[in-house]
Structures are given as structure tokens and as C-alpha cells.
Amino acid sequence: MSTADRAGEPRGRHRQRRRAVDLLFEAEAKGVPATDLIAQRREVFATDDSVGEMTGYAVRAVEGVVADSGQVDAIISSHLENWSFDRLPAVDRAILRLGTWELLYAPDVDIKVVLDEAVKLATELSTDDSPAFVNGVLDRISALAPHVRAAGSSE
């Protein structure tokens, strides 16, 4: 396989998603917009490349989540069963935000890939119960994806 894996995903996209989740998590912990963290990292990168360049899918995804944050959070909240959004672990909120944004606003990413990647991230970064929880919430949200994606493409 060359630059894509079996699902057609470019190599490194998982790392980019993980970086996006890290930025979303850090931004919430610090109480700042994630786009501010991107801008700060870009300033530091100019003199210290150890922070990593802020480009690619991670930036696209974070900027998308921030731009659509009100709608993304409302959709997540409306698809939670027996949970309130604020009581979720912060890392699960970050994963759900990224996954919801991808489901609804990233038509170039297959819905199954979004679900698989979110479960992988929850497995790597959160509690033992989080992968199933994240999968369940995003699976319910995925029912909206074709409609939202179609509406977005007609605009």
C-alpha cells in the first residue's frame, strides 16, 4: 500500500485526529479557543520546530469544530442517553466533538472510518467504557450525516 490504508485514508490521518483531540482537550482545560492554541504553536514553530508544524488535517478539523461548536455540542447533547454533556469526561467530549464534526461536515471522510477512528481514539485516550459509549453516541449521530452532508453539498 502506498499513501493510503485499506479504508482509503491517507497515512498519518490517525495521528492528525489525535493531535486535533489533544488540541480540543487542551483548549477546554485552559478555557481558550483551540484556534488560539494553533496560532500560538505557529508562532513558536517559527523559532522552535520541536512543537511540530500546525498544518494539515488536524488544523482543518479543529478549525471546523470551533467554527461549528454550538451546533456540534447541541447535536452531541441531543444524542446522549442518561448523560449530560457537561458530565462527560473532557477527553470524551473532545473525541465526540471531532467525530461529530467529521460525520456532518467532512464529506470526504467515510462515515465508517469516522466511527472506527473515534473508537480507536477513545481506546487510546480514555476509560475502558469510553470506546463503546463514543461508538454508541456517534452511531446515533451518523443517521443525520447523509442529510447534513447532502444539504452542505447543495449550498
Side-chain angles (χ1 to χ4, degrees):
M1 286 180 249
S2 60
T3 61
D5 64 19
R6 284 172 278 150
E9 282 279 291
R11 282 194 181 160
R13 182 76 59 105
H14 180 74
R15 283 189 302 267
Q16 291 287 312
R17 283 186 179 93
R18 184 170 176 147
R19 190 168 201 193
V21 167
D22 289 345
L23 286 164
L24 293 168
F25 177 83
E26 181 182 347
E28 183 176 341
K30 290 181 174 179
V32 300
T35 50
D36 287 1
L37 295 177
I38 291 170
Q40 290 170 2
R41 300 272 189 331
R42 283 181 171 157
E43 286 179 25
V44 171
F45 182 75
T47 59
D48 178 6
D49 63 3
S50 70
V51 298
E53 191 171 11
M54 284 283 120
T55 60
Y57 191 76
V59 171
R60 173 184 164 207
V62 168
E63 289 174 344
V65 170
V66 170
D68 297 311
S69 64
Q71 188 171 20
V72 166
D73 286 359
I75 289 168
I76 295 167
S77 293
S78 70
H79 287 81
L80 294 175
E81 294 177 358
N82 303 317
W83 278 94
S84 67
F85 187 73
D86 294 335
R87 293 198 58 223
L88 296 175
V91 70
D92 289 359
R93 276 195 302 272
I95 294 167
L96 288 169
R97 284 173 169 146
L98 174 63
T100 299
W101 178 83
E102 284 188 297
L103 286 170
L104 304 179
Y105 303 110
D108 59 319
V109 182
D110 185 86
I111 290 170
K112 288 181 181 181
V113 172
V114 174
L115 297 174
D116 289 346
E117 285 290 316
V119 169
K120 281 184 194 175
L121 288 166
T123 301
E124 293 170 8
L125 301 171
S126 196
T127 68
D128 291 342
D129 295 330
S130 291
F133 176 77
V134 165
N135 186 59
V137 174
L138 291 178
D139 186 54
R140 288 189 293 277
I141 293 171
S142 72
L144 301 173
H147 306 292
V148 175
R149 288 176 171 196
S153 68
S154 68
E155 290 178 359

